[in-house]
Amino acid sequence: MTSVEEGDLVARVEGTAGIIRLNRPKAINAVTLEMFRDVEKALDRFEADPAVAVILLEGAGERGLCAGGDIRTLWESSKVNGDLGKILWREEYILNARIKKFPKPYVAFMDGIVMGGGVGLSAHASHRVVTDRTKLAMPEVGLGFFPDVGGTYLLSRSPGEIGTYFGLTGQTMNGPDAIHAKFADWVVPALKLPELREALTRLRSGVNAADVGKFIDGFATGEIAGPVAAKEPAIDALFGFDRMEDIFSALNRDGSDFAQATLKTLNEKSPRGMVVTLKLLRLARKSSSLEECLVREYRAALEVFRSDDFREGVRAAVIDKDRNPTWSPPRIEDVTPEMLAPYLAEIGADELKFN
């Protein structure tokens, strides 16, 4: 066994597996810029090593794979007009695209909490394993942001309006619903993960993606739909619109407990964040590639980084934790086309580019 430990990330070879372990358990493995850079280095090394048959992404500790990006540091940079967002999101999004196209099987153990940046490192993998403990979410709209890291690509490819629902509400998916929403491929009981992990380290060199999939099948429960999937007809009817005003009108007209609970959830979110998210999701439906969506997300992310809503959302959720943000503007109907335009505008020399 060879081992390299780089701060908050562990990258090592075990048998024929290149292990990448997010290693900040006290922070539920929230990812920093340095960790993204270390993942990139690990992938360089594992891709070049003929003895490495498969990549395995996992999180240290019992709480989850990854709670998202290190949002507090981004907030601090945003407050002083810093450039961390510009640097971090550029490198993170390029890494997300690399993971999707990685030439060796890339297995992600999406156990426990998987959010934000953790979704970017796992849900673009070739082999995505969730468990009975998985709690997967893209809760960014509650921070005045939108589902990034390719989230608009993933959500726009969920069946019906399931992705619109998850993207706007930030609601949590369990393992089977993550499969239904096309964020994952197999449910494996958490108690079986150590056995599956051990077996993955013994795969033969040169094993192909299809064979790895058949191998994981032997550990999986076969579940493919959870509680949200059962609500898909209602979700399709309530979220099948291109304007947030129309979604709110549909929810207001619907007297069901589900519609009223959903309305309460949306009323807590950033109006600007919801409008930006819905627009990006609709544009993503027409996009043919993850890269195209990431380019658009990067433009929007730089605008978010400059916005009061982002700073206020993070303050209320992460810094002061009063859960009482003051959004600007405070109402959906006050978000004008002129406010939306900068999130979609081309950014010249700063455009995201892929090798």
Side-chain angles (χ1 to χ4, degrees), residues 147 151-157 163-168 276-286 296:
T152 63
Y153 175 85
L154 292 161
L155 291 163
S156 69
R157 279 147 181 80
T164 312
Y165 168 77
F166 279 125
L168 291 172
V276 170
T277 295
L278 185 59
K279 182 65 175 177
L280 290 174
L281 288 175
R282 294 303 182 246
L283 290 169
R285 279 186 175 168
K286 302 170 187 172
R296 200 181 293 118

Side-chain angles (χ1 to χ4, degrees), residues 76-95:
E76 290 168 351
S77 180
S78 175
K79 280 205 307 175
V80 297
N81 296 315
D83 60 0
L84 180 61
K86 182 177 180 179
I87 296 166
L88 183 144
W89 287 320
R90 178 181 296 278
E91 296 188 28
E92 180 181 15
Y93 295 0
I94 289 169
L95 176 59

Side-chain angles (χ1 to χ4, degrees), residues 124-191:
H124 301 301
S126 59
H127 298 73
R128 305 166 300 177
V129 176
V130 286
T131 75
D132 47 306
R133 302 190 303 197
T134 294
K135 294 179 179 177
L136 190 153
M138 300 292 285
E140 289 80 3
V141 179
L143 300 175
F145 200 30
F146 61 88
D148 68 328
V149 299
T152 63
Y153 175 85
L154 292 161
L155 291 163
S156 69
R157 279 147 181 80
S158 299
E161 299 297 338
I162 288 283
T164 312
Y165 168 77
F166 279 125
L168 291 172
T169 64
Q171 293 289 82
T172 300
M173 308 177 199
N174 69 2
D177 268 331
I179 291 176
H180 183 70
K182 300 187 179 178
F183 275 67
D185 306 299
W186 295 271
V187 177
V188 173
L191 288 173

Side-chain angles (χ1 to χ4, degrees), residues 299-318:
R299 294 170 184 167
L302 296 192
E303 188 63 27
V304 166
F305 198 63
R306 291 188 282 266
S307 74
D308 291 336
D309 259 20
F310 174 68
R311 289 186 284 271
E312 175 64 4
V314 177
R315 179 207 63 76
V318 179

Side-chain angles (χ1 to χ4, degrees), residues 135-290:
K135 294 179 179 177
L136 190 153
M138 300 292 285
E140 289 80 3
V141 179
L143 300 175
F145 200 30
F146 61 88
D148 68 328
V149 299
T152 63
Y153 175 85
L154 292 161
L155 291 163
S156 69
R157 279 147 181 80
S158 299
E161 299 297 338
I162 288 283
T164 312
Y165 168 77
F166 279 125
L168 291 172
T169 64
Q171 293 289 82
T172 300
M173 308 177 199
N174 69 2
D177 268 331
I179 291 176
H180 183 70
K182 300 187 179 178
F183 275 67
D185 306 299
W186 295 271
V187 177
V188 173
L191 288 173
K192 282 191 175 183
L193 281 186
E195 184 184 351
L196 173 57
R197 185 188 188 280
E198 172 66 22
L200 286 169
T201 68
R202 297 198 302 268
L203 291 174
R204 59 180 171 77
S205 296
V207 66
N208 65 38
D211 287 341
V212 174
K214 290 175 188 171
F215 181 78
I216 297 171
D217 277 339
F219 293 83
T221 66
E223 296 168 273
I224 56 170
V228 176
K231 296 185 174 73
E232 192 173 323
I235 288 170
D236 288 353
L238 294 166
F239 284 85
F241 304 95
D242 295 338
R243 299 188 328 135
M244 279 308 306
E245 293 93 333
D246 295 331
I247 291 174
F248 269 87
S249 294
L251 289 164
N252 275 307
R253 286 194 303 270
D254 191 303
S256 69
D257 290 345
F258 173 70
Q260 296 311 303
T262 301
L263 201 55
K264 182 176 184 296
T265 297
L266 291 180
N267 277 322
E268 297 167 354
K269 308 302 181 189
S270 158
R272 190 188 306 226
M274 286 188 282
V275 171
V276 170
T277 295
L278 185 59
K279 182 65 175 177
L280 290 174
L281 288 175
R282 294 303 182 246
L283 290 169
R285 279 186 175 168
K286 302 170 187 172
S287 299
S288 59
S289 69
L290 171 61

